[in-house]
Structure formats: C-alpha cells, structure tokens
Amino acid sequence: MSIKGKLIIIGGGIDVGDSIANEKEINRSYFCSCGILKNIIEESKYKEESRIEIITTASKIPKEVSEMYIRAFKLLGAKNVAHLPINSRLEANNPDNLQRLTQANAVLVTGGDQLRLTSVIGGTPFQQMLLNKYNQEEFLYAGTSAGAAAVSSSMIYQGNSSDALLKGLVEINSGLGLIDSVIIDTHFIQRGRIGRLFQVVVGNPMKIGIGLGEDTGLIITDNNDTMIAIGSGSIILVDGRQITDTNLTQIEIGSPISISNIITHVMTQNDIFYFKKNKIVIKDSQYNNE
C-alpha cells in the first residue's frame, strides 16, 4: 500500500522564536527562514493556509505548551492553528475531537511523557484516524520529543543513559504505529543516549535506530523510505543489519553487552538517507555524489 502522508520527527528543544524582539529580526532569523516550525508549515498541504492542530497529550502543562507553539506558528504566517486537547481516553473518543482531526491537514504532537501519550491515545478511534489520514491523505504528522518517540511501532520509554549498555535496562513499549522500520530516541546528543539505541538495535537488528538531537529532525516521505535532515543539530543513525556477533543472549540481566560490526551514521541539515538502498547522501560532501 502506498502511503500518502509525511512524517516530521524532532528531537525536542524546537526554536520557537523566543529571542525575536521585532519584525525586522524575524525576517533575518534562522527561525523564520529554515527552522523546524517553518519546515512544518512548508511541508503541510496548504502551507500557511493549512489547518494545524497542536496535540499536547504527553505534556503536564498543555495550555502553556500549546500557547507557545500557536504564537510561534503565527509569527511564521500560519493562519489556522489551534490546540486540540486530548487528556483522556474519553476525549480520544469524543466525536467533536475526531471531527477536528478529520479536518486537519497537519498535527504537531508535543513533548512530555510518551507513555502517557500512547496510553491515552493507543487503541482509540483517534489513533485509528491518525493512521488512516497518514496512510490515505496528504496529511502531515509532526512530533517532537515524546511525540517523535511514539510515532513508530516500537517505542523506547525508559532507560538510564549511563546504564544503557547493560542488558535489560532499556524498556520498549508499543508506539502509535505510523512507521515500523525504525526506533526513535530524542534529546539524543544532549543526553548521551547512544547506548540506548545500541541496546535496542542489537535486539531488533531489522530496525534502524534514529537518535535525534534537539532542534533537529527528519522529514520522512516516499512510503517511509526517504529521510531528509532538517534543523540546527545532528542526527545519529544506528544500523544493526550488518551485526556479525553479540553476547546478548548469553549474558544475565544487568550484564554489559558486546556488539560486533554495528554501523553508525551522522546526518546534518539537508543530508538524505534512503532506507531501502541503505544509502546516505551528504549534501555538502567533500567527495562527488553520484
């Protein structure tokens, strides 16, 4: 089945233009010209005219978070942005909320607790409508932090960075299921989470681990095959498909894991990863790209 929608997954810490003091500064700022929120507007079906819903289910301060994003989108010219509060499974079944999702061209699912997000939305008509719109319409799902981590079928929801390469100390739960071929971690560079992805990928080597830095993301299109880096930081890809050896099944819980031939890539703005070809194109390569 051909997927008509797009994903934008972001590692958290989005630039929302807080340092902008006046319109002159807006016109000169990275925030306005190529920041993450600008990309969300540009990738949505009707751009500034798109209906964008802010979903704050994962957050403990939904009102404050939604107001911050609505202000930032309006600074960038978006004309139809609103807060869609889904704080319970009853609200995820509410016909009015489902109608608003039906009419949306894009959603931004904010940060917080990804387990709260999946436990509230998972298995509800709201989740099913998200999946249907993503598969069948020119619909954009954008998620930051928890909203990004939850987008895949398998989701990291717990695991201390310092102990992440000890067997069994990273926990995985079911995500929202918009993409199956990856597992996503966020705030990745800033919180030193490389060990979490190593453990997850060695146990699930058919999936690519994606570590998203803050204010950094991927635009995922073409049936979840093409992944374009956006934002101001770095993305780490962990590929376990060529692992040749590990002690994972031979050691006790809490013991350190050994892995041979795990592959990592680093992407920055405008680099492209093609999942099926297993190929990265570096935009500013010092070598010639064919």
Side-chain angles (χ1 to χ4, degrees):
M1 180 183 68
S2 178
I3 298 170
K4 294 184 178 180
K6 299 177 185 177
L7 299 175
I8 295 182
I9 53 173
I10 309 130
I14 297 176
D15 180 358
V16 293
D18 287 339
S19 62
I20 295 170
N22 57 57
E23 190 173 345
K24 250 182 160 180
E25 288 183 44
I26 292 173
N27 291 334
R28 293 197 304 264
S29 72
Y30 179 90
F31 162 78
C32 184
S33 63
C34 52
I36 295 286
L37 297 184
K38 183 67 171 178
N39 276 277
I40 291 173
I41 294 171
E42 290 299 314
E43 293 294 329
S44 65
K45 185 175 183 179
Y46 300 116
K47 302 187 186 314
E48 287 84 0
E49 304 293 333
S50 291
R51 181 164 181 168
I52 303 172
E53 296 282 5
I54 311 297
I55 298 173
T56 54
T57 307
S59 177
K60 292 181 179 178
I61 49 171
K63 185 174 184 293
E64 294 90 335
V65 168
S66 64
E67 288 174 351
M68 174 184 70
Y69 281 115
I70 289 170
R71 170 188 171 274
F73 274 122
K74 286 183 176 178
L75 282 172
L76 295 170
K79 297 178 174 63
N80 193 5
V81 186
H83 179 206
L84 178 51
I86 306 291
N87 297 311
S88 69
R89 293 182 68 81
L90 285 176
E91 290 179 340
N93 286 275
N94 184 291
D96 292 338
N97 291 334
L98 294 172
Q99 180 64 21
R100 285 180 60 179
L101 181 58
T102 298
Q103 296 171 347
N105 305 116
V107 295
L108 173 61
V109 182
T110 68
D113 180 348
Q114 57 260 41
L115 192 57
R116 171 174 165 77
L117 174 62
T118 57
S119 65
V120 169
I121 290 179
T124 67
F126 197 90
Q127 183 203 11
Q128 189 58 54
M129 186 173 290
L130 274 177
L131 291 169
N132 291 344
K133 287 181 70 70
Y134 178 63
N135 285 313
Q136 300 170 14
E137 301 179 21
E138 292 179 52
F139 175 73
L140 174 63
Y141 175 105
T144 181
S145 189
V151 79
S152 56
S153 298
S154 300
M155 174 187 78
I156 299 173
Y157 78 94
Q158 191 168 314
N160 185 290
S161 298
S162 61
D163 296 330
L165 270 174
L166 302 180
K167 180 179 176 179
L169 298 189
V170 177
E171 298 191 48
I172 297 175
N173 202 356
S174 296
L176 297 176
L178 279 78
I179 183 170
D180 186 56
S181 54
V182 302
I183 298 178
I184 301 156
D185 210 346
T186 59
H187 303 279
F188 194 75
I189 310 297
Q190 291 75 10
R191 299 184 186 178
R193 289 177 165 173
I194 187 70
R196 300 207 319 183
L197 271 193
F198 282 161
Q199 176 161 175
V200 168
V201 168
V202 74
N204 301 269
M206 72 295 294
K207 298 182 187 289
I208 295 288
I210 298 177
L212 299 167
E214 293 184 359
D215 193 42
T216 307
L218 286 174
I219 301 172
I220 303 177
T221 61
D222 299 332
N223 288 306
N224 295 337
D225 182 51
T226 302
M227 304 183 183
I228 305 170
I230 57 174
S232 60
S234 300
I235 297 159
I236 309 295
L237 301 184
V238 178
D239 187 346
R241 290 175 290 182
Q242 297 184 49
I243 288 174
T244 56
D245 201 3
T246 178
N247 64 351
L248 182 66
T249 63
Q250 304 302 309
I251 58 175
E252 301 295 327
I253 297 294
S255 298
I257 300 169
S258 300
I259 311 167
S260 174
N261 209 47
I262 196 167
I263 294 173
T264 60
H265 307 284
V266 181
M267 300 175 68
T268 58
Q269 190 175 52
N270 296 321
D271 294 346
I272 305 174
F273 177 66
Y274 297 101
F275 186 87
K276 291 175 185 173
K277 294 180 181 177
N278 193 23
K279 177 182 179 181
I280 282 187
V281 176
I282 294 178
K283 179 68 165 61
D284 297 318
S285 171
Q286 66 186 36
Y287 309 110
N288 292 327
N289 289 313
E290 297 182 359

